[in-house]
Amino acid sequence: MIKQGNIVDIFNKKIYKGEIHIQDGKITNIVAKNHNVETYIIPGFVDAHIHIESSMLVPSEFARLAVLHGTVATVSDPHEIANVLGKTGVEFMIENGKKVPFKFNFGAPSCVPATSFESAGAVLDSNDIKELLEMPEIKYLAEMMNYPGVLFRDEEVMKKIAWAKYFKKPIDGHAPGLRGEDISTYIAAGISTDHECFSYDEALEKLQKGMKVIIREGSAAKNFEALIPLLDEHFENMMFCSDDKHPDDLLLGHINDLCARAVAKGVDVFKVLQTACVNPVKHYNLDVGQLQINDVADFVVLEDLTSFKVLETYIDGICVASGGNSHIESVPFEILNNFNTSKKNVIDFQVKATKSKIRVIEALDGELVTNELILDNLIKDGNLVSNVEKDILKMTVVNRYNEDVPAMAFIKNFGLKEGAIASSVGHDSHNIIAVGVSDEAICKAVNLLIENKGGICAVSETSANVVSLPVAGIMSAKTGWEIGKEYAELDKLAKQMGSTLRAPYMTLSFMALLVIPSLKLSDKGLFNGTTFEFTSLEV
């Protein structure tokens, strides 16, 4: 095959008319040659950190959508399914990904469970990590969220890091807000990246101390605007990622959108493309072509270098997408799950009132971090209830692996005026998490997910709508187009019920994410993530 176009040579920072010769999936020659083709040919895009599970799609279905936007590879942390199913879940992701022409590069999840302060479905100790890192399909040690364990040299944490060093595989970081001497200690342990920076100053310090910073722009956490000013000077040590990408967003775009936004802000196109296409391949030692002679033929044909509209995507010389159509076919797969709790009663969600003030989680739109507020409670028949007028809503986390009492809290900024929404995508342990205007609505939403053994839902007095997620309780058995449409409709319904958040379900799923401060709720109770101690609901 011979492919003509304006060839973008990122390494020599030049663009020239030419043609690429491809045989047996590899580039055999690249020659300068005049022609009338006005499209641009670049290396494929790489998402430098993503949890495939958060797309609610199995890897093979994720690939079918991602190639539409020029993505040829991902650096994928199977942390979510590992917290549900352990090594079996990681192996499922690897095997399913192998069935399609797409380059998934999985890591060994370093924190399963993520903390000891919640109930997960599995445990991966240092021996399990060693076995995973021995596998050629495992390219790195995935994000080390237990940064206190690194700082205080926890024995198990240090063993996991040691095994990654032994196998000469990179170690990903996760250190939101960590600064000063603490971040220096964290980096000195061998941790090389961070995708959790949410301020310019934080990212700059980490870059100056030798860390690679990954600019994250996902469905919930959006740090592009804060960090993009760093790219012009630090492009050699930065990458792009989505971290968590919901299916409706994946239908619209991926890393190509970040490239368009960066160029629109005046960042040199070669620096942008090095960030999006080259740096992840070098850092993680990926088998992904860079548009060089003897490379595998992984490349993208673009309409231009401003909109980054993708016309064609090639992986190993195979055209996997063209004309807005994916050429990757769906493949059969086994449905695995771990769901073991019975339906609840309204009384399970009642909380007796004893004081006048309560701790309230303040959700921040587009952020994983939260604030802690001390506010007046609302009492009805001696119980703490949602205060819809002041947008202080009751929230619950229900253990889905064992029978247990639901944990309760209150949260601000969801804005619901009726009903409840719930999800079994509840980072990191993926218990059931729900927020609603009444105990009755919350109970109804929770039970709907228990009936379906996983999913996301919205309920009101007159309706109950659910997107079923039968694969580990976090992924669909449907195609990306189907689940993307269903999710978009459910998201729209949540907003019709009053939610003012851009991504209410994604935000909801992170309200149980204990490794991100400040105040979160696990199935064991309200948690102050800055001091790693439980706190009472009432003040």
Side-chain angles (χ1 to χ4, degrees):
M1 181 175 68
I2 295 176
K3 197 69 187 174
Q4 293 183 331
N6 293 294
I7 298 171
V8 181
D9 185 343
I10 299 172
F11 299 97
N12 294 303
K13 294 181 170 53
K14 65 179 183 179
I15 301 173
Y16 59 94
K17 287 187 177 294
E19 60 184 29
I20 302 170
H21 297 202
I22 301 161
Q23 186 171 344
D24 297 327
K26 286 195 172 185
I27 296 174
T28 56
N29 200 11
I30 302 176
V31 295
K33 186 174 183 179
N34 285 326
H35 51 71
N36 296 321
V37 179
E38 297 302 323
T39 55
Y40 292 80
I41 303 175
I42 66 167
F45 298 117
V46 181
D47 191 326
H49 176 79
I50 187 171
H51 304 281
I52 300 297
E53 305 97 309
S54 291
S55 70
M56 302 183 188
L57 302 171
V58 296
S60 56
E61 289 297 331
F62 174 94
R64 297 182 71 204
L65 291 186
V67 294
L68 295 173
H69 312 301
T71 304
V72 301
T74 59
V75 180
S76 313
D77 179 3
H79 168 90
E80 313 302 344
I81 196 169
N83 267 279
V84 178
L85 292 165
K87 283 177 62 180
T88 300
V90 177
E91 292 163 357
F92 168 84
M93 299 295 279
I94 292 171
E95 293 308 311
N96 181 259
K98 284 181 178 180
K99 294 180 178 180
V100 293
F102 188 88
K103 300 192 172 181
F104 292 104
N105 298 279
F106 289 104
S110 66
C111 299
V112 179
T115 76
S116 60
F117 304 108
E118 58 187 334
S119 300
V123 175
L124 292 181
D125 62 17
S126 56
N127 290 327
D128 296 317
I129 293 298
K130 173 183 179 290
E131 291 176 7
L132 286 171
L133 287 168
E134 285 176 327
M135 299 170 61
E137 297 92 345
I138 297 294
K139 302 294 186 180
Y140 65 107
L141 181 64
E143 56 180 313
M144 179 49 72
M145 296 185 292
N146 187 2
Y147 59 81
V150 177
L151 300 182
F152 295 104
R153 299 191 65 81
D154 175 87
E155 183 178 356
E156 267 294 287
V157 168
M158 301 314 293
K159 282 182 180 178
K160 293 174 182 178
I161 291 173
W163 281 123
K165 291 177 179 178
Y166 177 83
F167 289 108
K168 295 181 172 57
K169 295 184 178 182
I171 305 167
D172 261 10
H174 171 117
L178 206 63
R179 307 287 298 273
E181 195 61 36
D182 284 346
I183 192 60
S184 297
T185 301
Y186 188 71
I187 295 169
I191 297 165
S192 57
T193 71
D194 194 16
H195 61 277
E196 292 288 347
C197 299
F198 48 85
S199 74
Y200 176 98
D201 291 339
E202 177 190 353
L204 179 60
E205 179 182 0
K206 290 173 178 176
L207 285 163
Q208 290 172 336
K209 290 183 174 180
M211 211 172 212
K212 290 182 170 63
V213 168
I214 307 177
I215 298 177
R216 171 178 59 190
E217 190 77 352
S219 293
K222 299 179 182 293
N223 310 123
F224 178 91
E225 293 296 332
L227 304 186
I228 196 64
L230 290 162
L231 192 63
D232 188 61
E233 181 178 351
H234 298 279
F235 69 95
E236 292 179 324
N237 292 304
M238 300 186 79
M239 297 174 260
F240 288 133
C241 83
S242 52
D243 197 2
D244 295 283
K245 192 80 167 174
H246 266 190
D248 56 333
D249 288 337
L250 188 59
L251 283 169
L252 301 177
H254 199 191
I255 302 301
N256 60 320
D257 283 350
L258 301 188
C259 292
R261 289 172 62 183
V263 168
K265 287 183 174 293
V267 184
D268 177 78
V269 68
F270 291 108
K271 294 180 179 180
V272 172
L273 290 175
Q274 178 164 334
T275 303
C277 309
V278 176
N279 291 348
V281 175
K282 287 186 173 181
H283 181 74
Y284 294 100
N285 302 310
L286 307 182
D287 181 23
V288 177
Q290 299 285 273
L291 209 59
Q292 303 289 298
I293 294 174
N294 295 323
D295 275 0
V296 286
D298 303 327
F299 61 90
V300 177
V301 181
L302 299 176
E303 185 174 282
D304 55 54
L305 295 177
T306 52
S307 70
F308 287 83
K309 180 180 178 181
V310 174
L311 302 178
E312 296 175 321
T313 303
Y314 289 82
I315 298 178
D316 291 336
I318 300 170
C319 183
V320 292
S322 64
N325 297 307
S326 178
H327 304 316
I328 297 177
E329 299 293 330
S330 290
V331 297
F333 57 88
E334 181 184 3
I335 292 180
L336 305 175
N337 208 338
N338 183 4
F339 224 97
N340 187 32
T341 189
S342 58
K343 293 173 72 172
K344 307 304 175 188
N345 299 308
V346 174
I347 194 172
D348 294 324
F349 302 99
Q350 292 179 351
V351 180
K352 294 293 182 184
T354 61
K355 298 181 180 179
S356 61
K357 298 282 186 180
I358 53 174
R359 287 184 168 85
V360 176
I361 300 168
E362 183 184 26
L364 304 176
D365 202 6
E367 298 286 350
L368 305 189
V369 294
T370 62
N371 290 326
E372 178 180 353
L373 304 176
I374 307 298
L375 301 174
D376 293 329
N377 62 24
L378 182 63
I379 302 172
K380 182 179 180 182
D381 298 330
N383 295 317
L384 295 174
V385 297
S386 294
N387 189 333
V388 178
E389 184 178 337
K390 294 186 177 180
D391 188 23
I392 304 171
L393 303 180
K394 186 175 281 188
M395 171 181 163
T396 186
V397 173
V398 178
N399 187 330
R400 61 118 140 179
Y401 304 105
N402 297 289
E403 297 292 351
D404 209 343
V405 178
M408 307 303 301
F410 285 85
I411 192 162
K412 188 172 179 62
N413 287 341
F414 266 82
L416 292 176
K417 303 298 182 185
E418 62 173 311
I421 62 173
S423 174
S424 60
V425 179
H427 302 281
D428 280 307
S429 294
H430 300 291
N431 289 301
I432 301 170
I433 184 168
V435 60
V437 304
S438 69
D439 297 346
E440 291 77 10
I442 290 172
C443 185
K444 185 177 179 180
V446 168
N447 285 339
L448 186 56
L449 296 191
I450 292 172
E451 289 172 8
N452 283 270
K453 294 194 178 298
I456 57 175
C457 70
V459 303
S460 65
E461 290 185 2
T462 58
S463 65
N465 298 271
V466 63
V467 174
S468 181
L469 301 175
V471 184
I474 56 177
M475 290 179 286
S476 173
K478 297 181 179 180
T479 70
W481 290 269
E482 290 172 311
I483 196 68
K485 182 180 178 181
E486 289 182 12
Y487 175 79
E489 291 174 351
L490 202 61
D491 182 77
K492 181 180 178 181
L493 181 57
K495 291 170 181 175
Q496 289 173 347
M497 291 164 56
S499 179
T500 54
L501 295 169
R502 283 177 291 179
Y505 287 99
M506 183 66 87
T507 302
L508 178 65
S509 74
F510 285 115
M511 293 304 101
L513 183 59
L514 305 192
V515 295
I516 301 287
S518 168
L519 195 64
K520 298 291 175 78
L521 181 68
S522 82
D523 68 291
K524 294 183 179 179
L526 199 59
F527 188 79
N528 188 326
T530 57
T531 58
F532 292 89
E533 294 177 356
F534 285 104
T535 185
S536 62
L537 173 58
E538 293 183 300
V539 181

